[in-house]
Amino acid sequence: MPPLTKFWLFTLKDPSKSASTLKPLLTEILNFCSSFTNPHYNATSAPENNKNAPTHAFYTITNKPNHMLMITGYPSQELNNEADKVYAEKYLPRLFEHVQHIWLRQIEVDIRELPLGGEGVVVSVDEGISGGEGSDFGGVGKGGWDVWKKTRQGSERDDVVQGARKGESVGERVWVHVRKWDGQEEGVDGSEVEGRSVFYLSKLVGR
């Protein structure tokens, strides 16, 4: 199966707490994830312009207070499933003491092809797109169609993440796009654009 990249959006349950208070736990999670993937990725060549990009990272969302996004990559669905069995049992209960799940997306794109080498990144999620390759921002960055609900993990995860993704239409097509951000300019909040959510991310911790 092809490499994959997952995007997990969640929010802090206690708005008075800073995301940095979770950094020790998030670092532990990333160390666990990278123990599965990095031996494989280190054995293969990475794109020359993306050698310092993390394979797994947590970001704060600058235009949505108290929200965070995890971007994580695996060389195959099989390896992701293997890691997820342990992750769901060992880390999710601890993490859900502090955060509330919102959604999870998955695209069949190698994470090393995404522009994640800097401290900032923009992730756009377009819902209901039909035809073409979604919003390509003039060829800047890279994206893919969400296939999360088509995976066995996606169909089984609802109970684990408290009824995730309920209410979404079966025929929904979602395009997830990633491009660089220099941290200077921010567009409008995604809630102001019909069918699109735009997240301006600042890296908290990555591996």
Side-chain angles (χ1 to χ4, degrees), residues 5 38 43 62 79 97 100 111-112 126 173-174 178 204:
T5 301
N38 287 13
T62 64
L79 190 60
E97 292 178 7
Q100 177 67 50
I111 194 168
R112 297 172 300 170
D126 289 274
R173 283 171 62 80
V174 178
V178 180
L204 180 64

Side-chain angles (χ1 to χ4, degrees), residues 161-179:
V161 294
Q162 306 168 12
R165 299 172 64 86
K166 288 182 177 177
E168 294 184 358
S169 61
V170 175
E172 175 187 68
R173 283 171 62 80
V174 178
W175 179 261
V176 182
H177 195 90
V178 180
R179 54 192 171 94

Side-chain angles (χ1 to χ4, degrees), residues 4 6 63 91 106 123 144 173:
L4 60 96
K6 296 165 72 175
N63 61 321
Y91 294 107
Q106 178 175 318
V123 173
R173 283 171 62 80

Side-chain angles (χ1 to χ4, degrees), residues 38-53:
N38 287 13
H40 170 86
Y41 284 133
N42 290 340
T44 60
S45 59
E48 190 64 34
N49 63 349
N50 217 22
K51 287 187 178 296
N52 296 322

Side-chain angles (χ1 to χ4, degrees), residues 28 42 55 87 101 200:
E28 185 178 345
N42 290 340
T55 307
Y87 166 77
H101 169 90
Y200 290 82

Side-chain angles (χ1 to χ4, degrees), residues 10-30 57-62 64-70 95 98-99 201-205:
F10 59 95
T11 186
L12 299 175
K13 288 183 175 179
D14 186 348
S16 67
K17 290 188 176 180
S18 168
S20 61
T21 62
L22 289 179
K23 196 169 183 178
L25 175 58
L26 302 183
T27 301
E28 185 178 345
I29 290 173
L30 296 190
F58 284 98
Y59 297 84
T60 57
I61 302 179
T62 64
K64 286 186 176 292
N66 305 313
H67 285 66
M68 298 181 67
L69 192 75
M70 179 187 189
L95 199 50
H98 308 283
V99 306
L201 311 181
S202 177
K203 188 191 302 176
L204 180 64
V205 59

Side-chain angles (χ1 to χ4, degrees), residues 31-164:
N31 288 339
F32 166 78
C33 293
S34 64
S35 71
F36 277 81
T37 62
N38 287 13
H40 170 86
Y41 284 133
N42 290 340
T44 60
S45 59
E48 190 64 34
N49 63 349
N50 217 22
K51 287 187 178 296
N52 296 322
T55 307
H56 312 275
F58 284 98
Y59 297 84
T60 57
I61 302 179
T62 64
N63 61 321
K64 286 186 176 292
N66 305 313
H67 285 66
M68 298 181 67
L69 192 75
M70 179 187 189
I71 303 179
T72 182
Y74 286 86
S76 69
Q77 187 70 54
E78 291 83 359
L79 190 60
N80 171 75
N81 293 346
E82 182 182 347
D84 188 72
K85 290 179 182 178
V86 181
Y87 166 77
E89 180 178 347
K90 186 174 182 179
Y91 294 107
L92 279 185
R94 294 167 58 188
L95 199 50
F96 280 152
E97 292 178 7
H98 308 283
V99 306
Q100 177 67 50
H101 169 90
I102 299 178
W103 54 243
L104 197 151
R105 308 289 187 184
Q106 178 175 318
I107 60 176
E108 293 182 340
V109 174
D110 191 325
I111 194 168
R112 297 172 300 170
E113 298 179 19
L114 301 178
L116 301 176
E119 294 301 308
V121 64
V122 179
V123 173
S124 301
V125 180
D126 289 274
E127 302 183 22
I129 294 176
S130 60
E133 289 194 346
S135 300
D136 63 3
F137 297 97
V140 177
K142 190 173 182 65
W145 294 108
D146 176 25
V147 297
W148 171 245
K149 290 191 289 187
K150 297 179 181 178
T151 67
R152 186 178 70 177
Q153 184 188 5
S155 63
E156 294 176 350
R157 179 53 67 81
D158 279 1
D159 291 338
V160 178
V161 294
Q162 306 168 12

